[in-house]
Structures are given as structure tokens and as C-alpha cells.
Amino acid sequence: MNTIEVYKIGLNEISQLQEIGRQTFYETFAESNSEENMQNYLAEGFTIEKLTSEINNPNSEFYFATFENQIIGYLKINFGEAQTELKDNKTLEIERIYVVKDFHGKSIGQLLYDKAIEIANQKKVDYVWLGVWEENPRAIRFYIKNGFVEFDKHIFKLGNDEQTDIMMKLNLNY
């Protein structure tokens, strides 16, 4: 039986990261956003330069989920100063969990999420937090099912469109 593997990636996988990043972002958000805003974000948000700087940041980590040598999803987590907000040394941010559409509903997101929680536990952070678009009910349900609660909101700009992200967190008790 073929198993799904989750492993940390480095600079040598940057072109695959760019490809999976663009593909999954488009699949997830294209139907809810203008094509122009999507194309601009895909062009600017996933440049090799930007991804190189993110991978080289000692406070960020990327993981791929693969099945039969095909990349089917990825995870990005941030600590300390690399976090998009809060920047607390006792927290971990899940910035991205994306899964290729063909693999939705097959627990790939849960595997990537479990990896993030495993690392949070190793680092003994107080809580894990993330931002999720208010119009992504599938993701919101996923995080609620995993014990997250809403604690704030923030604005995410996609091109000229201001969108509200719900900020959610999970307290880890040791």
C-alpha cells in the first residue's frame, strides 16, 4: 500500500513549492475572486525570491505531503518574528495548509495539521494560531473540529479586494 509522506523541505524543492503554492491557492480561491486579483497575487505572492527568503528564514518551516512521489499538499509554519502577527515566542502560527483539490476529503490536511501540532508540542508553545478567510467555511469547520476558537479578525488584501480573516487559536496545555 502506498502511504502519504510528510517531510520538511529546503531550497532544492523551491520550484515544486512555487508550483504547488500557485496551484492550490488558485484552486481554493479562484471562484470567489476576480481573475485579475488572482493572477496578480499568484505572480507576486509566489516568486522564487519571496519563497527563497521564506525558506531561508530560520523561524519558518515548509513541509510537503506526497503520494506516489506526487506533491499533494503543503504546510507552512512560523515561529517568533516570522509570524505574520502576534510575533510571540510562545506561539506557533500555521500560515498555510493547502491540499490539491483531487485529494480533498482524504485527510491530507489533517496529516499536515498533525505535523504542525507535533512541532508545537516539541517547542512547548502556549498556543497555535492562524487566520482563515471568513468565506472559507470548509477550513473554518476543520479548525473548529480540531479545537480552535475565534479570538480576533484581521484584513487580508487580495489585489484591490479587502477580505476579512478570522483569527483562531488552540491552547496547548502541558
Side-chain angles (χ1 to χ4, degrees), residues 90-102:
K90 295 296 286 173
T91 64
L92 177 147
E93 175 190 18
I94 297 176
E95 186 180 349
R96 299 182 202 142
I97 292 182
Y98 285 104
V99 175
V100 173
K101 207 167 204 160
D102 291 348

Side-chain angles (χ1 to χ4, degrees), residues 85 94 129-137 139-141 143-144 148-156 163-169:
E85 293 184 39
I94 297 176
W129 71 277
L130 51 88
V132 59
W133 188 29
E134 65 181 357
E135 292 182 38
N136 189 348
I140 294 168
R141 277 194 308 274
Y143 291 116
I144 289 172
F148 278 73
V149 293
E150 182 178 337
F151 72 96
D152 204 352
K153 286 180 160 59
H154 69 169
I155 299 298
F156 175 81
Q163 303 179 351
T164 302
D165 276 1
I166 296 170
M167 294 174 70
M168 303 179 83
K169 73 177 177 180

Side-chain angles (χ1 to χ4, degrees), residues 18 23 37 61 83 132 135 145 158 162-163 165 174:
Q18 182 183 49
Q23 177 188 346
N37 283 344
E61 293 177 1
Q83 295 176 93
V132 59
E135 292 182 38
K145 183 185 87 174
L158 187 78
E162 286 198 351
Q163 303 179 351
D165 276 1
Y174 298 102

Side-chain angles (χ1 to χ4, degrees), residues 109-146:
Q110 188 70 46
L111 280 174
L112 291 165
Y113 168 82
D114 290 346
K115 184 66 176 178
I117 297 303
E118 177 190 320
I119 294 160
N121 285 324
Q122 286 167 3
K123 294 191 175 281
K124 297 205 176 346
V125 299
D126 292 337
Y127 63 90
V128 176
W129 71 277
L130 51 88
V132 59
W133 188 29
E134 65 181 357
E135 292 182 38
N136 189 348
R138 196 167 178 276
I140 294 168
R141 277 194 308 274
F142 173 82
Y143 291 116
I144 289 172
K145 183 185 87 174
N146 279 288

Side-chain angles (χ1 to χ4, degrees), residues 8-171:
K8 188 175 178 184
I9 65 161
L11 276 177
N12 51 335
E13 287 106 344
I14 195 140
S15 60
Q16 295 100 309
L17 177 61
Q18 182 183 49
E19 192 178 318
I20 190 79
R22 285 179 171 158
Q23 177 188 346
T24 54
F25 191 87
Y26 191 84
E27 287 176 350
T28 305
F29 300 114
E31 63 190 36
S32 310
N33 291 282
S34 77
E35 186 64 17
E36 183 186 0
N37 283 344
M38 284 300 296
Q39 292 306 327
N40 288 341
Y41 187 84
L42 292 175
E44 295 161 19
F46 296 96
T47 64
I48 292 293
E49 295 75 23
K50 186 172 190 302
L51 294 173
T52 299
S53 128
E54 290 179 7
I55 285 181
N56 282 335
N57 186 326
N59 287 314
S60 292
E61 293 177 1
F62 286 88
Y63 293 81
F64 279 164
T66 61
F67 178 71
E68 294 180 347
N69 295 320
Q70 175 192 358
I71 300 163
I72 57 172
Y74 80 105
L75 162 71
K76 181 185 182 201
I77 54 175
N78 299 314
F79 319 100
E81 289 299 311
Q83 295 176 93
T84 56
E85 293 184 39
L86 306 184
K87 304 194 190 307
D88 183 335
N89 286 327
K90 295 296 286 173
T91 64
L92 177 147
E93 175 190 18
I94 297 176
E95 186 180 349
R96 299 182 202 142
I97 292 182
Y98 285 104
V99 175
V100 173
K101 207 167 204 160
D102 291 348
F103 285 87
H104 281 185
K106 297 188 183 353
S107 299
I108 313 306
Q110 188 70 46
L111 280 174
L112 291 165
Y113 168 82
D114 290 346
K115 184 66 176 178
I117 297 303
E118 177 190 320
I119 294 160
N121 285 324
Q122 286 167 3
K123 294 191 175 281
K124 297 205 176 346
V125 299
D126 292 337
Y127 63 90
V128 176
W129 71 277
L130 51 88
V132 59
W133 188 29
E134 65 181 357
E135 292 182 38
N136 189 348
R138 196 167 178 276
I140 294 168
R141 277 194 308 274
F142 173 82
Y143 291 116
I144 289 172
K145 183 185 87 174
N146 279 288
F148 278 73
V149 293
E150 182 178 337
F151 72 96
D152 204 352
K153 286 180 160 59
H154 69 169
I155 299 298
F156 175 81
K157 284 200 71 140
L158 187 78
N160 56 13
D161 189 18
E162 286 198 351
Q163 303 179 351
T164 302
D165 276 1
I166 296 170
M167 294 174 70
M168 303 179 83
K169 73 177 177 180
L170 173 71
N171 285 316

